[in-house]
Amino acid sequence: MVVKWDEEEVGKVKDILKLFCENYNRKHGETRTLNPEDLYLKTKDRTFTAFDSILKIKEKSDVFVHHMSDDMKEKVQKERKQFEEQQEKRAANDKQTVEQTNNDKEKGEEKLKEEEVRKPDTEKKTTQKSGTSTSKDVSRSQCHHADWMCPHMKKSNISVKYKRKPKKDTAAKSDFKVQVEGAPPSFFGLDEDGEGEFNFQPPCGQGSSKYKLDFVVKPSEKTISIKAEQISDDDEPHDGGESQMEKAKKFLEESNCRKAREIYLKALEENPKCKEALIGMFRVYRRAGRIDEALGYIKQADELHQYSYKINQMLGDTYLEKRQGRDALLAFTTCMRSRDKMSRRRLHDIKIGLCRSFLQAGKKSEGLRSLQSLLSENLEHHKALLEYAAMIYQKTTLAHKESITMVLTVITQSKGKDKEAIQLLIKLLRHQNGMKYLQSEIHEAWNSFTALSFLGNSLRDFGAIPEATKILQRAVDVEPKNPRPLLNLMHLYEVQDRHQEAVEMALQYLKKNTSLNVAGVQCSSFVPLLECVHNDIYLNGTSPGMSGIVITVVHPLIRVYTDDELYLLAVLFTLVKILFIKGSIRLLHGIHRLLDPCHKDRDLHLTLIRNEAAYYATISELITIDMCPLPETPKFIYFASDSHCLTPAWRTIEYKGTPHVIHPLLATGCKIWHLRPEGVFYPKDSFFNMMKIVPKRSTVIFNMGEIDCREGIIFAVEKCKYDNVEDGIAKVIDIYLKVMKKLKSLYNLRVFVHPVNPVLDMTRSMVMKFNLALEEAVRNMPGLTWLDFVDEMLARDRKQIQPQYSLDQTHLHPCYLSLLEQAINRKHS
């Protein structure tokens, strides 16, 4: 039997043990009667104690309850005697400490009186108002914090009164330990009424005239912890308002790192030794991925506040990120000296840090022992489970399966937010027979669409496209009538340039589910049109078989769509997108007539299928604008972009004196930032898979960066990944140039660089700033050619785009291609 309890639940534990005895006697009472006094408690450190000494257990975690044999009774009595002797010895030491404390108190009070005499009356009033009286009542029956300000007094003691509210089952009389940060512990006693008094001296410092004192009282542990922090006048709350440090902390919690950093930097200007500001700057930069700068701040904090286990833990974690195992080992070893002061959870976090430090430092056996020690105390610690799984999965088949189970447990409990767990799962699945073992280990989840979709999408987001595809294919098999898994799989086929399979799968779905409808619009009506495509959909859709098809337009019922109807619409919208990108243009006119009533005036941009609806809206408008029929053997200029490749797609311009068709290369939602070498997000796979279809020695126009300008760079500056917009632009352009240069070399391409489209009003200033920097960088890069026409699309004030060049306030109108044609031919000539 295992009993777990919190600090204030001793009574509950007694009830559990009593109930345990009653249940035992109900079954075995004829042969053996079990009483609570016949039980003993075995703690994790392998010490034993009798049930009636339950309050004396220091480590209140897992307690194993067993029957007490005669030998064990003798052992427990011996331990109890030793414990009582230790208590008597401690009581004598505490008495001596209390006497010394009282003497210090008297001296401190005399000193305070002398200083009070020398103070002017106004200063005395201010002192009392801010809570600096020599006596402060912190009476509470539960753990609590009490903060107040006090002036900096180098040699004066502060006297504090404490009163413990008596409980029904405990005596008020007790001894308490006082731990002031940076000073040795002291003790004070409570009288029979539970009252006591102690005094302490704030640590001296530089650069500040005031302190903020934080009291943490834990009656159950008989401790009072006191932290003294130097503050400036600006940090002091006025009229109940927040301090600047509290505001910065709140900004950091809201991911507004830029504002938090401004407050921390201002605090460090006034007091370069401000501990909270140094730690705040560390957290800002570590969250932003600027590890070197984060390390600099936490080192400063460590130099000023040596032996702080919290600071050393941060220091150790940062060294681990930098793969400096030996430095991390020193930091975590320093933490372990203060293990008695920290919570159980923090202690376990430090132990896993210690384990990883050993491993990085090449001390595998020490690391394994440290990990085993932690797992013996806590089998649910996520980082420990991941480390253990990474250690054992290659040893045996059973170990491989167990590793997968452990990692899946972490992913599920973290709701897919543990990046380390997902990356390790990908590694396990790519190991020999990994997918087969996954199926055997997830049991019922292998037949759950929800579980499979969650797992598949998690793997997709980290670039495990083949593995995610297999799992999402299974999700479709589990619920063949549900459009949601079908939609997820179609999008994944898009990423892999498996558009033909996506269309065939959607067609089979519509054939099997002819009764499905969207507010009365039957999906079976789309089947005859889709069956007109024979063999490959690429540049298809002009079959004479279309001429005999009768299209009957049905308007949907006027009501809100259900989720299933929305997902079914998204499947149809995605079909339109795929057919357009692959060049089946004429086929789309009939589908558009059937589908448009379901889209028009429905505000689908506010629903869960807003992305699919946005692509459909743009394409449905583009196919109404005349374009030349495609020649039988067209010459192509390839256009690599996100949704901005839709506008020029399949339209003809003159290049080198002959007509060339612009061939779209769509990478949905792709930012330049995704293309960096360490990037794993699936739009990166989509981009490079699209580039594989480009023949060598082709001409390619790259038009990337609009999403970076619209959200990526701005959000990154807010999160302090960059100090300013200019730094962000420079970083993104550097990634862009390296990618284009690599592709040019790999495929022997002629590369033109398209300016970012300045259509959106709210991002135009950002886009133009990006274009100026990009133009300069491209002109300085041999082999890349800048298409200089963006100014021609703007009005005279350069603040607005000329209306004829805007299609839908997001994309350019196809009429802009005349400007593109002139620019590309200027560069060619």
Side-chain angles (χ1 to χ4, degrees):
M1 173 181 172
V2 179
V3 181
K4 295 184 179 181
W5 76 91
D6 296 327
E7 295 174 351
E8 301 294 337
E9 293 183 335
V10 172
K12 182 178 178 181
V13 175
K14 291 183 178 180
D15 292 338
I16 292 174
L17 297 182
K18 183 179 178 181
L19 183 63
F20 173 73
C21 292
E22 291 175 355
N23 291 336
Y24 181 93
N25 294 332
R26 191 177 296 113
K27 293 182 179 180
H28 309 287
E30 296 178 359
T31 57
R32 173 77 168 89
T33 301
L34 188 65
N35 299 312
E37 56 268 21
D38 295 326
L39 301 178
Y40 75 94
L41 308 177
K42 178 182 178 183
T43 60
K44 285 191 171 180
D45 58 0
R46 300 183 181 276
T47 60
F48 304 92
T49 181
F51 170 65
D52 59 0
S53 62
I54 190 170
L55 289 172
K56 299 172 185 175
I57 300 176
K58 292 182 179 179
E59 179 63 26
K60 296 184 178 180
S61 53
D62 294 350
V63 177
F64 302 83
V65 183
H66 302 277
H67 166 60
M68 184 179 289
S69 63
D70 293 337
D71 292 340
M72 188 54 62
K73 283 184 179 179
E74 184 178 348
K75 184 174 182 179
V76 168
Q77 289 173 357
K78 184 177 178 181
E79 288 184 353
R80 183 180 300 173
K81 186 176 180 181
Q82 292 175 350
F83 179 79
E84 290 173 352
E85 290 174 354
Q86 291 174 357
Q87 286 292 90
E88 291 176 0
K89 185 176 180 181
R90 179 179 173 184
N93 292 336
D94 290 350
K95 183 178 180 181
Q96 185 178 356
T97 303
V98 169
E99 292 175 355
Q100 180 63 38
T101 301
N102 290 334
N103 292 335
D104 293 342
K105 171 191 168 185
E106 292 174 1
K107 294 178 181 179
E109 288 178 346
E110 291 176 2
K111 184 67 177 177
L112 283 173
K113 289 177 180 179
E114 293 175 5
E115 293 191 2
E116 286 292 321
V117 171
R118 293 195 294 267
K119 283 183 182 180
D121 293 339
T122 55
E123 188 175 350
K124 290 179 184 179
K125 291 179 181 179
T126 304
T127 302
Q128 292 174 3
K129 183 178 181 180
S130 61
T132 61
S133 58
T134 58
S135 178
K136 182 73 178 178
D137 186 358
V138 291
S139 175
R140 288 288 188 277
S141 59
Q142 297 180 349
C143 174
H144 77 291
H145 294 262
D147 299 344
W148 76 89
M149 305 298 171
C150 70
H152 174 53
M153 298 176 290
K154 283 193 174 181
K155 296 183 180 180
S156 298
N157 289 349
I158 294 179
S159 178
V160 178
K161 292 180 180 179
Y162 175 76
K163 182 175 181 180
R164 178 176 184 178
K165 293 182 179 179
K167 298 181 180 180
K168 294 181 180 180
D169 56 345
T170 59
K173 186 175 181 179
S174 182
D175 292 335
F176 268 71
K177 180 173 78 171
V178 179
Q179 179 65 64
V180 181
E181 187 177 38
S186 61
F187 297 86
F188 75 99
L190 302 183
D191 58 23
E192 294 179 355
D193 295 326
E195 295 184 3
E197 190 170 350
F198 66 92
N199 58 3
F200 68 95
Q201 180 179 326
C204 297
Q206 301 291 332
S208 179
S209 61
K210 296 184 180 181
Y211 282 98
K212 178 181 178 182
L213 301 177
D214 181 18
F215 282 68
V216 181
V217 183
K218 296 183 178 180
S220 59
E221 297 181 4
K222 303 175 187 177
T223 63
I224 297 178
S225 301
I226 304 171
K227 296 181 181 179
E229 178 189 343
Q230 293 182 5
I231 62 170
S232 64
D233 292 337
D234 289 340
D235 287 329
E236 183 178 348
H238 297 284
D239 301 325
E242 292 180 302
S243 73
Q244 291 300 306
M245 292 297 103
E246 288 170 343
K247 288 181 180 178
K249 185 178 180 181
K250 186 176 290 186
F251 282 135
L252 199 56
E253 291 171 352
E254 296 170 352
S255 295
N256 195 337
C257 299
R258 182 177 59 82
K259 289 187 177 180
R261 183 183 63 175
E262 289 174 0
I263 295 175
Y264 289 137
L265 288 175
K266 184 178 179 182
L268 290 173
E269 286 178 6
E270 298 173 358
N271 177 12
K273 298 183 179 181
C274 179
K275 175 182 175 182
E276 193 168 358
L278 289 170
I279 293 176
M281 287 299 296
F282 159 77
R283 286 176 173 152
V284 165
Y285 282 134
R286 189 181 178 202
R287 184 178 295 188
R290 298 166 66 171
I291 303 302
D292 290 336
E293 289 159 284
L295 182 60
Y297 279 105
I298 202 62
K299 277 184 175 181
Q300 290 183 55
D302 183 50
E303 291 171 0
L304 295 169
H305 306 275
Q306 292 184 356
Y307 308 117
S308 166
Y309 62 86
K310 294 181 180 179
I311 291 177
N312 272 281
Q313 183 185 5
M314 299 175 199
L315 193 60
D317 288 337
T318 311
Y319 280 133
L320 284 178
E321 288 189 58
K322 289 179 64 63
R323 308 294 299 176
Q324 295 177 213
R326 294 186 180 277
D327 293 323
L329 186 59
L330 177 61
F332 286 120
T333 303
T334 304
C335 291
M336 293 300 290
R337 297 173 186 170
S338 305
R339 66 174 69 191
D340 295 335
K341 300 178 182 179
M342 61 185 70
S343 66
R344 183 169 179 262
R345 179 178 177 181
R346 184 183 292 273
L347 178 60
H348 290 169
D349 288 343
I350 290 172
K351 283 187 174 182
I352 191 62
L354 197 61
C355 164
R356 291 179 168 180
S357 302
F358 278 127
L359 295 175
Q360 283 192 13
K363 301 180 179 181
K364 189 172 181 180
S365 58
E366 290 90 337
L368 182 58
R369 283 199 298 270
S370 177
L371 182 60
Q372 289 171 336
S373 172
L374 173 53
L375 289 172
S376 68
E377 299 175 21
N378 185 354
L379 278 171
E380 298 179 355
H381 194 279
H382 286 183
K383 290 184 179 179
L385 289 173
L386 297 180
E387 200 64 51
Y388 187 66
M391 278 183 159
I392 68 169
Y393 79 93
Q394 292 180 325
K395 294 185 177 180
T396 64
T397 297
L398 181 59
H400 193 175
K401 291 181 177 180
E402 288 178 349
S403 297
I404 290 175
T405 301
M406 286 186 281
V407 175
L408 286 173
T409 299
V410 175
I411 292 174
T412 303
Q413 292 179 355
S414 67
K415 298 181 180 179
K417 295 180 180 179
D418 193 317
K419 296 181 180 180
E420 183 182 353
I422 297 173
Q423 289 170 340
L424 178 56
L425 179 62
I426 294 170
K427 190 175 182 179
L428 297 179
L429 296 181
R430 289 176 175 173
H431 194 59
Q432 187 176 9
N433 295 321
M435 288 298 297
K436 178 182 176 182
Y437 296 153
L438 172 70
Q439 180 178 346
S440 66
E441 290 303 300
I442 62 177
H443 308 298
E444 296 86 359
W446 191 247
N447 296 314
S448 167
F449 147 70
T450 305
L452 291 168
S453 296
F454 166 75
L455 183 57
N457 290 335
S458 297
L459 294 174
R460 176 203 64 190
D461 290 347
F462 281 82
I465 304 301
E467 294 78 13
T469 302
K470 291 180 182 179
I471 291 172
L472 292 180
Q473 285 172 339
R474 172 62 185 171
V476 172
D477 294 338
V478 169
E479 292 198 17
K481 292 186 177 181
N482 190 337
R484 188 172 180 179
L486 173 65
L487 178 65
N488 290 337
L489 187 55
M490 288 179 70
H491 285 323
L492 209 51
Y493 280 163
E494 285 185 85
V495 171
Q496 301 168 80
D497 191 30
R498 296 167 64 179
H499 297 89
Q500 181 73 32
E501 294 174 67
V503 171
E504 292 174 355
M505 182 174 59
L507 178 59
Q508 292 303 315
Y509 174 82
L510 294 175
K511 284 183 176 181
K512 291 179 181 178
N513 300 282
T514 55
S515 61
L516 290 178
N517 66 88
V518 178
V521 178
Q522 297 295 324
C523 293
S524 57
S525 58
F526 294 92
V527 173
L529 289 169
L530 293 172
E531 287 181 330
C532 291
V533 179
H534 302 292
N535 301 321
D536 193 354
I537 61 171
Y538 181 59
L539 299 181
N540 208 320
T542 57
S543 170
M546 290 181 59
S547 59
I549 297 175
V550 177
I551 297 174
T552 304
V553 177
V554 179
H555 291 274
L557 301 174
I558 302 175
R559 61 169 174 78
V560 177
Y561 293 141
T562 66
D563 283 357
D564 283 345
E565 289 175 331
L566 286 172
Y567 283 117
L568 186 53
L569 267 180
V571 168
L572 296 171
F573 290 160
T574 303
L575 265 175
V576 169
K577 173 186 173 185
I578 291 173
L579 293 171
F580 182 82
I581 287 298
K582 301 307 290 184
S584 294
I585 305 299
R586 292 194 177 184
L587 184 65
L588 293 178
H589 291 282
I591 295 176
H592 173 256
R593 287 178 59 192
L594 290 172
L595 198 52
D596 202 52
C598 298
H599 173 268
K600 190 175 181 181
D601 300 326
R602 287 287 183 159
D603 291 332
L604 295 180
H605 63 286
L606 302 176
T607 67
L608 46 82
I609 64 165
R610 57 186 175 276
N611 291 331
E612 290 84 0
Y615 268 92
Y616 174 78
T618 301
I619 292 170
S620 64
E621 190 163 357
L622 286 171
I623 62 176
T624 63
I625 301 172
D626 291 338
M627 64 173 65
C628 298
L630 297 180
E632 290 186 5
T633 56
K635 294 182 179 180
F636 290 123
I637 294 177
Y638 293 87
F639 196 102
S641 185
D642 49 23
S643 64
H644 293 282
C645 72
L646 299 178
T647 292
W650 310 117
R651 297 181 184 273
T652 303
I653 63 172
E654 289 287 327
Y655 176 59
K656 295 183 179 180
T658 58
H660 281 68
V661 175
I662 297 180
H663 189 302
L665 301 173
L666 173 64
T668 302
C670 189
K671 301 177 185 176
I672 295 173
W673 176 252
H674 296 151
L675 305 180
R676 67 196 190 282
E678 65 272 22
V680 295
F681 196 37
Y682 67 90
K684 176 180 179 179
D685 293 86
S686 180
F687 176 84
F688 286 108
N689 284 330
M690 294 306 104
M691 292 305 303
K692 290 178 182 178
I693 71 174
V694 178
K696 290 188 176 181
R697 294 181 294 280
S698 295
T699 298
V700 181
I701 299 172
F702 288 95
N703 180 12
M704 304 290 292
E706 192 274 329
I707 307 178
D708 297 89
C709 291
R710 175 165 25 106
E711 57 183 44
I713 296 172
I714 296 172
F715 289 166
V717 172
E718 287 297 314
K719 294 178 181 179
C720 291
K721 290 184 180 295
Y722 313 111
D723 288 336
N724 50 58
V725 167
E726 289 72 21
D727 289 349
I729 289 174
K731 177 62 177 178
V732 170
I733 289 176
D734 180 62
I735 296 170
Y736 195 16
L737 295 182
K738 288 178 179 177
V739 169
M740 290 188 290
K741 187 177 180 180
K742 179 180 178 181
L743 290 171
K744 174 181 171 57
S745 174
L746 185 63
Y747 296 110
N748 193 18
L749 303 176
R750 173 74 191 275
V751 175
F752 290 96
V753 183
H754 193 292
V756 177
N757 298 342
V759 181
L760 278 172
D761 291 336
M762 62 181 178
T763 61
R764 188 169 297 114
S765 61
M766 176 69 179
V767 165
M768 296 308 293
K769 185 180 293 186
F770 185 91
N771 281 333
L772 285 173
L774 179 59
E775 178 182 358
E776 181 181 358
V778 169
R779 293 187 187 281
N780 292 327
M781 176 69 70
L784 305 183
T785 305
W786 175 254
L787 294 174
D788 189 6
F789 65 90
V790 68
D791 290 341
E792 298 174 48
M793 293 190 293
L794 299 177
R796 291 183 178 180
D797 60 2
R798 293 178 53 84
K799 295 181 179 179
Q800 301 291 329
I801 189 170
Q802 295 187 54
Q804 67 269 27
Y805 295 122
S806 176
L807 177 72
D808 55 9
Q809 298 182 342
T810 301
H811 301 89
L812 289 171
H813 190 279
C815 70
Y816 100 95
L817 290 176
S818 60
L819 302 179
L820 173 64
E821 183 181 68
Q822 294 171 17
I824 199 170
N825 284 300
R826 281 198 301 267
K827 299 301 179 181
H828 170 65
S829 60

